[in-house]
Amino acid sequence: MEYRKLKHQEEDEEAAVGGDAIESLRGKAHSLNTVATLGGGTAVDPSKWKRKSIVTLALTVLTSSQAILIVWSKRAGKYEYSVTTANFMVETLKCALSVAALSRIWRNEGVTEDNRLSTTVDEVIVYPIPAALYLVKNLLQYYIFAYVDAPGYQILKNLNIISTGVLYRIILKKKLSEIQWAAFILLCVGCTTAQLNSNSDHVLQTPFQGWVMAIVMALLSGFAGVYTEAIIKKRPSRNINVQNFWLYVFGMVFNAIAILVQDFDAVMNKGFFHGYSIITVLMILNHALSGIAVSMVMKYADNIVKVYSTSVAMLLTAVVSVFLFGFNLSLAFFLGSVVVSVAVYLHSAGKLR
């Protein structure tokens, strides 16, 4: 009897220990699920989160240096090289990088339905629209610097948050919160404040032509970004490099037409690479890598992340321009930058609600 009593006591203790262990494991699992879950119960894949963070950080650095390199590439206030040939080289380099990435995938994984270049007309026919929009937007990107400096450009570039948000609502049917609408108004106030000029008869540093170009660029950038994201995410399993390839092919075609229309005589008489410098080459490389990073953000995150990267780049551009171009960091610019940053934060917070 005593033996049985002791034996039952040991079994009860083992069961208690086992139960505690199970409860402990359940608690740890619950804790891990809580950490790996965002509001609404959406699980976060650590590898995807890491990839998203790296791409967003890279896009921020590339975007902040983009305006600086464009301004730096000018000589005596003008571009000695043809901006249409520079744009063509950007699209060509992006296309080559996409093919190189695909070649590596083909060697490692073989050719599949999702990574083959051959496709249908219905899939390809949608790419000329964003390619044409990006062509005009990219050309305006050079000419707007006749009216604004690098930090001012980064400020006005944030207007595409408004166009992107509104087009998200119209095209992708995504609902915008009241906080996001308020953030749009605050963003306009911040952009205007940053452009206030106390040392001149003109109220704003940027003239009317610069504002018009900035607004047109914002609309083109917003529409092209949202449209491209809709195309890319329409077929999620399709390899991003294949989708990029077709977009960049049409980009090359449209830029080649721009060369023929705008700079044919200059290219024929002086040469395709006339006026190119090390800064010009770095600028082209920057634009190409920025385009790849943007498409990666669209594939693995969303277009709003691209806009946030641009907003952070605004601050980096201003700091670098102080040392590189002697930019005067005025109180109005500082206050405007703060207001724009608050607007971006509110827009982000409104999106998560």
Side-chain angles (χ1 to χ4, degrees), residues 164-189:
T164 300
V166 173
L167 291 170
Y168 249 72
R169 179 71 180 89
I170 297 174
I171 298 177
L172 300 182
K173 307 299 181 183
K174 293 189 177 182
K175 186 178 180 180
L176 298 174
S177 67
E178 293 180 357
I179 294 179
Q180 288 179 298
W181 287 111
F184 292 160
I185 299 174
L186 195 59
L187 183 63
C188 292
V189 174

Side-chain angles (χ1 to χ4, degrees), residues 12 16 31 53 57 91 104 192 213 234 257 271 276 337 346:
D12 290 340
S31 177
S53 301
L57 177 61
E91 297 300 315
R104 182 178 179 182
T192 305
M213 295 177 70
K234 185 177 181 180
I257 295 173
Y276 276 51
S337 300
L346 290 176

Side-chain angles (χ1 to χ4, degrees), residues 171-223:
I171 298 177
L172 300 182
K173 307 299 181 183
K174 293 189 177 182
K175 186 178 180 180
L176 298 174
S177 67
E178 293 180 357
I179 294 179
Q180 288 179 298
W181 287 111
F184 292 160
I185 299 174
L186 195 59
L187 183 63
C188 292
V189 174
C191 289
T192 305
T193 303
Q195 291 295 311
L196 291 177
N197 190 359
S198 59
N199 299 323
S200 174
D201 295 334
H202 300 286
V203 177
L204 300 177
Q205 294 182 12
T206 302
F208 176 75
Q209 299 93 321
W211 278 95
V212 171
M213 295 177 70
I215 293 172
V216 172
M217 283 182 59
L219 291 172
L220 292 174
S221 178
F223 187 78

Side-chain angles (χ1 to χ4, degrees), residues 19 24 37 51 62 76 110 112 191 234-235:
S24 177
T37 304
R51 178 171 52 191
L62 290 169
T112 64
C191 289
K234 185 177 181 180
R235 187 176 173 182

Side-chain angles (χ1 to χ4, degrees), residues 24-315:
S24 177
L25 289 174
R26 287 177 179 172
K28 290 180 179 179
H30 177 73
S31 177
L32 288 173
N33 288 335
T34 302
V35 173
T37 304
L38 294 175
T42 304
V44 177
D45 186 338
S47 61
K48 289 184 179 179
W49 177 256
K50 181 179 179 180
R51 178 171 52 191
K52 175 182 174 181
S53 301
I54 293 174
V55 171
T56 305
L57 177 61
L59 181 60
T60 301
V61 175
L62 290 169
T63 304
S64 63
S65 57
Q66 194 171 93
I68 293 172
L69 288 172
I70 293 177
V71 175
W72 206 356
S73 68
K74 298 172 74 172
R75 294 290 182 273
K78 64 179 182 178
Y79 304 108
E80 293 184 353
Y81 57 91
S82 167
V83 296
T84 55
T85 63
N87 270 343
F88 179 84
M89 290 305 301
V90 169
E91 297 300 315
T92 302
L93 182 55
K94 289 192 291 188
C95 189
L97 290 173
S98 298
V99 173
L102 279 173
S103 300
R104 182 178 179 182
I105 294 173
W106 292 336
R107 287 195 304 268
N108 297 333
E109 303 175 9
V111 179
T112 64
E113 185 67 25
D114 289 327
N115 65 28
R116 67 172 70 247
L117 286 178
S118 58
T119 183
T120 62
V121 175
D122 291 337
E123 182 181 5
V124 175
I125 201 65
V126 296
Y127 288 105
I129 295 177
L133 294 173
Y134 279 127
L135 167 68
V136 180
K137 178 257 181 185
N138 290 335
L139 288 177
L140 286 176
Q141 184 176 237
Y142 289 94
Y143 298 126
I144 195 174
F145 285 103
Y147 307 100
V148 301
D149 49 25
Y153 168 78
Q154 291 290 13
I155 286 284
L156 295 176
K157 195 175 180 180
N158 285 282
L159 291 173
N160 66 3
I161 292 180
I162 301 176
S163 63
T164 300
V166 173
L167 291 170
Y168 249 72
R169 179 71 180 89
I170 297 174
I171 298 177
L172 300 182
K173 307 299 181 183
K174 293 189 177 182
K175 186 178 180 180
L176 298 174
S177 67
E178 293 180 357
I179 294 179
Q180 288 179 298
W181 287 111
F184 292 160
I185 299 174
L186 195 59
L187 183 63
C188 292
V189 174
C191 289
T192 305
T193 303
Q195 291 295 311
L196 291 177
N197 190 359
S198 59
N199 299 323
S200 174
D201 295 334
H202 300 286
V203 177
L204 300 177
Q205 294 182 12
T206 302
F208 176 75
Q209 299 93 321
W211 278 95
V212 171
M213 295 177 70
I215 293 172
V216 172
M217 283 182 59
L219 291 172
L220 292 174
S221 178
F223 187 78
V226 174
Y227 191 91
T228 304
E229 181 178 340
I231 294 173
I232 290 176
K233 290 188 173 180
K234 185 177 181 180
R235 187 176 173 182
S237 61
R238 189 68 154 147
N239 188 279
I240 183 64
N241 294 292
V242 175
Q243 296 170 315
N244 283 341
F245 172 82
W246 289 110
L247 178 62
Y248 300 148
V249 164
F250 283 105
M252 292 170 60
V253 171
F254 287 134
N255 277 282
I257 295 173
I259 293 174
L260 294 176
V261 173
Q262 182 173 323
D263 295 319
F264 179 77
D265 291 337
V267 170
M268 293 299 295
N269 295 330
K270 299 180 180 179
F272 191 92
F273 297 106
H274 174 76
Y276 276 51
S277 64
I278 296 297
I279 301 300
T280 310
V281 174
L282 289 176
M283 181 196 69
I284 291 173
L285 182 61
N286 174 283
H287 277 67
L289 294 177
S290 297
I292 297 293
V294 166
S295 64
M296 295 292 285
V297 168
M298 289 181 182
K299 185 74 173 182
Y300 301 112
D302 56 46
N303 198 51
I304 293 295
V305 172
K306 182 192 75 172
V307 177
Y308 294 157
S309 298
T310 303
S311 301
V312 176
M314 167 191 67
L315 303 176

